[in-house]
Each structure stands twice: as C-alpha cells, then as structure tokens.
Amino acid sequence: MTARVGKTTRVPGVPRIHLVSNLPGVNALGDHLRAAGLGPTSARSADALLVLIDRPLDHVEQELLDRARQSVPVLLAGPTVRALPADSPLVEASGLIPGRATPPYELRLQAGPQGGAIMARSGDFRPRESWVIPEKVADDVERLVLIRHEMGDYPVCTWRPATGLGMFTLGTGAAVLGDAAYHRLVGRWLRHCLGVHDAPPVGVGLLGTPDTTAAHHAGLDATEGLELTALCDGGPGRAPAHAAGRLPRRVEDPDDLVNDPELGVVVVATPTHTHLEWAGRALEAGKHVVVQAPLCLATSDADQLAELAAERSLLLAVYPEGRADPGYRALRAAVGRGAIGEPLRLEVHRGGLRRPVGTWRDDERISGGQLYDRGAAGVDQVLALVDEPVEWVSAAELKRVWYHVSNADHSRLLLRFASGAEAQITVSDLTVAARPSLEVLGSVGTLILDDAPAAANLEPPDGGPAVTGRHAGRRAAQDDDAAGAASLLLATYDGVRTRYPLPAPGSARVGTEVFYRDLADSLVSGWPLAGYEVEAARPVVAVLEAAVRSVATGGAQVVPL
C-alpha cells in the first residue's frame, strides 16, 4: 500500500516503516503512523522496522539483526523485550539488559539527555502501566525517555546508533496502545532513529480584540515550535501581563499583519462576522490559518474558505472551545467505551442569570446571535458524541428582559439524528436554578456532568443583598467555560451510581495550549491535525445556520445544508 501523507504534513521525505505486531490494540498506532506519513510498507522496502510482539521471535531475530546492519533501524517496543530470552542477540545488540518488571502504576515520563525532541510538546502524558527496570545500559546507548524510580533515572526508550537497535518498553496494554500521546512518542522515536528532524519554528500573527486574543497569546507563548511574532488587537502598546518571555511586535493595520512575510500562520480571533474576510485574506496571502470557533456564519462561507485553502495547499484549522474541558473529555471517554450504551437523549445547558455586558458578543449582527456565540461549543460537543447525520434542527428564542442588547435572552436548539437520538442545547441569561452543563441519557445508563462551582455562586444580579433559604437564587459565572465541571456522575439501570472526581477547573489557556501543541506538531513535525479541520467545523456551522432559519419560521424543522 502506498503511504498516504495528509495535507498537514510539512516535512518532506518522511520515511516509511513496517510494523510487525500480534497485539489486539495496535491498530490505532498503525493508523496514526500511517496518517503521519510513516508507512505502511513492506518489510523489504521499509526504512525502519517497528516490532510490538508478545512471543519469542526465534528465527526472525537473525533477520532483524541483518536488517539493522544494513542501516535499517530495528525498534522493539511494548512487550517485545519481555518476550526475548536472556541470551537473545537482539538484547545484546540493543545495549539494554532488561531486569525486573514493575507492577502497573502512573508513570511520569521525562526527557533523557538525547530525548528533548522526542518529549517536545508531549503534554501531561502519564501512562498507567508496568515497565522494565534495566539492569545495565551500555555507555553508547542514547537515553531518550526516562522514569525516575527509587532515587535513580532509568531509560524506557533508547537508541543505539552503533548497532541500529532501539528499545521502548512501554505499550504492553490496550489503554496505552490506544493513546494518541503514546502514538506521538513512538512516531518521534522513529524519526529520531532515522535522523529526521523538526522544521524550524513557525512565526505566528494574532489578529483579534484584547478579550479574544488573551488566551491565544498565552497558549502560543507556552508552545515550543510556534513563535508569536506579530499582534494586532487594537490594544495599548504594552505587552500583556502574561507575556513574560518573547514579546510580539505590535501591528496597527490588520492588512499589514496578514501580509507580513515573517509569518507562516495567522490566527483569526476577530468578531465572528469578520471571520470570512480575514481568514480569506490570510489564505490569499499564503498563510496557514487558525480561526476561533465558530468558523463563520454560513456553510457557503465555510466552503469558500475550504476551497481557498485546498487550492493553495494551506492548513485551515478551527480552534473549538470546550474540547479540552476535563469533564467533557471524561464524559466522552465514558460514552466511547459504552458506559451508557447507545446515546439516546443529550441535554446541554449554558448560562445562568446574567445581565449581558453589551460587547460585540451580545450584538446579533456581529456575533451571529446567542446560539452562534455561546452555543457553538455545545453543538460541537454533541456532534462528537453522536456519530450520526443530523436529520433536522428546530430552534426558538425569547426576548423579554435584556433589551439593551440585540441577542436573545434565552435560546433553545433541538437536533434530531438519523438514529432517532435527540439533543437539546439551551443558552440562557435568565436561568436562576443550577443546571448540569451536560447530560447524556443512554440505553443502559445516564452520564451527568455537574457544574457545581457555578452553583455555589449566589451573587444577586442587581447588586443587592444575597437571598438565602428556599428563595435563594443563583448567578452563573460570567465565563461559562471557566466555571468548569466538578464531577461526572454515571448512573446505570442496575442501580449503581459512580461519581468520578475531576481536576479543578482551569482557565481557557489550558484548551489553547492543547490545541497549539497539536498545531505545532502538524506544522514542524508533520503529524496529522485530526479533529480541527474544516470538515469537523462545517457541520457545526450547518446546524447553527439551520437554527437561525428555524427561528425565523417559528421553530420549523430545518434540514442542515
């Protein structure tokens, strides 16, 4: 099969590998490496051999040694080293003499003396797995990834250039084999052993308003491989408080920013109704483009931008808010492993009792309306949880209280899927009672994402005294995403209730850091930027566009385009 290199691959001449494995969970690793341009190919034509196998290699050992002598790296991963006999010539050639295996526990990985590039942008990957403590490591072995154990640092990932053998003793269980962070480490290990290096850092220009650019600024500052070079946000000449290191050059005219020859990427975080204009101009100027969700206000605009990017072989990505929320990630993982069976009914709630400030976000002409501005993340989450076409959309809005702004006070969006599943997304500035941010009813149970921190906020909306007791009200936090989720409840029909504690809610910076790590990996290392493409963002725009049409026709059922 010919290697398929995705559109986001930026490193020319990426080599191909041959993967040998008998492990049931290895398919995801193979798919990831294939999408990154690292295979597959035949053993005879491979530039490197990757072996994950849990049985003795017997007569194949000599063949592998012969390939290594022919300058074809042979990399033994997962349970392979444990399956080799103590007198294996592969063990001797690797320079790593394995010792005892530990019981499974959460591992903290760190870069070894030669492993900085392998661990770059690896995030907080903490696999829970057993690992092999080496008894001896030869002096000429490169120690790429280490684990701290009993006052010593031991390698779990190595490479011995003299013999062409590498070892990576993680990847024995299905959970780790299926983890994208592990896939990324294996891919980087392969590239290191083949002498393939990252491209230079990419210059980034950030275009928006002071309130929209702050989180992007912080995320870019924290990302190796991306350099925030220019900033145009209409703000003062001083640098933001969080910008302690590299300071971007201030640009007054947005045209100057999108045409800046030093930039490889332009981030468009402008008001929503200008996304088409500025993303289009940046693409026409030959820049890769990131757009803050929602991508635009119409599917025709999304198609126009996608066509423009494809014509120029440029990356067009959308930063979706809410994807990195720990509560949502835990809920999606539970749905994925079948904890509630088939999803049948989903309810998303955003907002509380809130007097709109009156910025562009509250202006229907600029933001697209309440559902576009604050419901897009909920639509994106729902579409990721139900892998079915949307048959129709129905929506309604209410305007009764906040007449100083044009956005609705309360909006309701109903989606019907081809499977019969339904989802309701509510965005409200009038809801006083605490509501879970997300609830998924399934065929064998229910998952509830509880927004407890916001529920504890009893500040009255008019600045008067707080009301307590049975008449107590609630004012939601101004930033819905910052409130976060306190816990995830799983209730199954056999009467079992399980509550999963979640990390403390973080700032929007956490989500942007995850996104920009993935973006940098795509631009400088050639990894696929899965989940952020126009193909994933367009259905969200289609649903929101259909919702606007439904509101205009009194809640009629509208088929998304």
Side-chain angles (χ1 to χ4, degrees):
M1 182 184 295
T2 303
R4 179 169 57 87
V5 180
K7 291 181 180 178
T8 58
T9 299
R10 303 289 172 239
V11 181
V14 174
R16 298 180 297 170
I17 60 99
H18 179 68
L19 173 61
V20 180
S21 180
N22 68 334
L23 304 182
V26 80
N27 288 340
L29 171 60
D31 291 344
H32 181 88
L33 297 176
R34 178 168 53 253
L38 292 171
T41 189
S42 66
R44 183 179 298 275
S45 61
D47 298 301
L49 301 176
L50 175 62
V51 182
L52 293 95
I53 203 163
D54 61 1
R55 63 172 182 258
L57 295 170
D58 299 329
H59 64 280
V60 180
E61 289 194 38
Q62 188 57 50
E63 181 182 341
L64 293 175
L65 284 171
D66 291 343
R67 295 303 303 275
R69 295 190 185 104
Q70 297 166 5
S71 300
V72 176
V74 175
L75 308 180
L76 310 178
T80 310
V81 66
R82 306 185 198 190
L84 296 174
D87 59 350
S88 166
L90 287 174
V91 171
E92 180 181 356
S94 74
L96 185 149
I97 308 301
R100 67 181 178 88
T102 71
Y105 67 95
E106 185 178 86
L107 306 176
R108 293 175 178 265
L109 308 182
Q110 60 188 45
Q114 297 87 17
I118 292 177
M119 291 295 290
R121 299 180 298 277
S122 59
D124 192 23
F125 176 48
R126 299 184 184 182
R128 181 176 179 80
E129 195 172 53
S130 168
W131 63 287
V132 176
I133 302 176
E135 286 187 357
K136 183 179 179 180
V137 182
D139 292 339
D140 62 341
V141 169
E142 295 183 356
R143 304 173 182 224
L144 305 177
V145 180
L146 307 176
I147 291 178
R148 183 77 171 172
H149 180 72
E150 296 179 352
M151 306 302 294
D153 293 326
Y154 297 91
V156 291
C157 182
T158 63
W159 168 240
R160 196 179 193 187
T163 61
L165 262 292
M167 291 280 193
F168 195 177
T169 58
L170 297 183
T172 60
V176 174
L177 280 173
D179 195 310
Y182 177 73
H183 304 163
R184 198 75 53 94
L185 287 179
V186 171
R188 287 183 175 279
W189 178 44
L190 281 160
R191 285 161 51 86
H192 174 86
C193 300
L194 287 161
V196 179
H197 304 291
D198 283 354
V202 180
V204 181
L206 181 52
L207 176 63
T209 60
D211 61 319
T212 60
T213 58
H216 291 276
H217 194 156
L220 288 163
D221 278 344
T223 304
E224 180 182 350
L226 299 177
E227 291 184 354
L228 181 55
T229 305
L231 173 65
C232 179
D233 66 355
R238 59 181 177 81
H242 56 257
R246 19 177 205 177
L247 301 179
R249 174 169 34 84
R250 288 282 181 176
V251 178
E252 297 297 327
D253 190 338
D255 272 321
D256 292 340
L257 184 137
V258 299
N259 290 291
D260 190 329
E262 293 185 23
L263 305 181
V265 180
V266 171
V267 178
V268 177
T270 57
T272 309
H273 77 312
T274 66
H275 285 182
L276 173 64
E277 175 186 1
W278 290 113
R281 289 194 187 188
L283 290 168
E284 288 172 348
K287 316 297 185 190
H288 302 299
V289 173
V290 172
V291 182
Q292 180 166 306
L295 171 60
C296 50
L297 296 177
T299 52
S300 59
D301 295 345
D303 294 339
Q304 179 180 334
L305 291 174
E307 183 178 354
L308 197 58
E311 288 174 352
R312 290 161 172 75
S313 299
L314 295 170
L315 181 149
L316 174 60
V318 180
Y319 166 64
E321 298 180 33
R323 288 269 189 94
D325 173 73
Y328 173 71
R329 292 173 65 182
L331 183 144
R332 185 177 180 184
V335 172
R337 63 176 178 264
I340 60 167
E342 180 188 1
L344 302 175
R345 173 79 181 184
L346 300 87
E347 290 204 28
V348 177
H349 191 272
R350 297 285 185 271
L353 185 56
R354 166 187 177 269
R355 186 181 194 276
V357 177
T359 65
W360 67 263
R361 293 186 175 279
D362 301 310
D363 189 326
E364 187 175 25
R365 298 166 302 174
I366 299 176
S367 68
Q370 192 181 54
L371 283 172
Y372 265 100
D373 187 64
R374 293 162 60 201
V379 173
D380 179 69
Q381 292 176 342
V382 164
L383 295 182
L385 291 170
V386 183
D387 188 18
E388 292 283 344
V390 178
E391 284 192 338
W392 52 259
V393 167
S394 175
E397 294 180 348
L398 291 174
K399 186 68 174 176
R400 297 289 188 276
V401 179
W402 309 120
Y403 288 104
H404 64 291
V405 297
S406 57
N407 271 5
D409 299 336
H410 181 97
S411 304
R412 186 269 301 156
L413 170 59
L414 181 65
L415 290 79
R416 172 82 175 190
F417 293 90
S419 63
E422 292 186 347
Q424 179 168 290
I425 299 167
T426 303
V427 182
S428 179
D429 288 328
L430 303 178
T431 304
V432 177
R435 295 282 302 277
S437 59
L438 179 55
E439 181 176 343
V440 185
L441 169 69
S443 55
V444 299
T446 299
L447 283 161
I448 300 175
L449 199 54
D450 190 13
D451 196 7
N457 185 356
L458 298 176
E459 180 186 353
D462 58 0
V467 182
T468 59
R470 61 184 180 139
H471 298 295
R474 166 183 172 271
R475 186 183 186 185
Q478 292 295 325
D479 184 352
D480 296 332
D481 292 331
S487 66
L488 176 64
L489 173 66
L490 169 63
T492 53
Y493 295 156
D494 56 6
V496 177
R497 297 168 65 88
T498 307
R499 188 174 292 274
Y500 301 94
L502 299 172
S507 67
R509 172 176 172 173
V510 175
T512 55
E513 285 184 3
V514 172
F515 170 78
Y516 283 118
R517 280 201 302 265
D518 289 347
L519 179 68
D521 274 340
S522 174
L523 294 175
V524 304
S525 299
W527 304 124
L529 190 65
Y532 302 112
E533 318 93 324
V534 149
E535 292 79 8
R538 187 190 187 281
V540 176
V541 176
V543 166
L544 294 170
E545 184 181 31
V548 172
R549 292 165 55 202
S550 178
V551 169
T553 55
Q557 296 175 1
V558 177
V559 179
L561 298 175

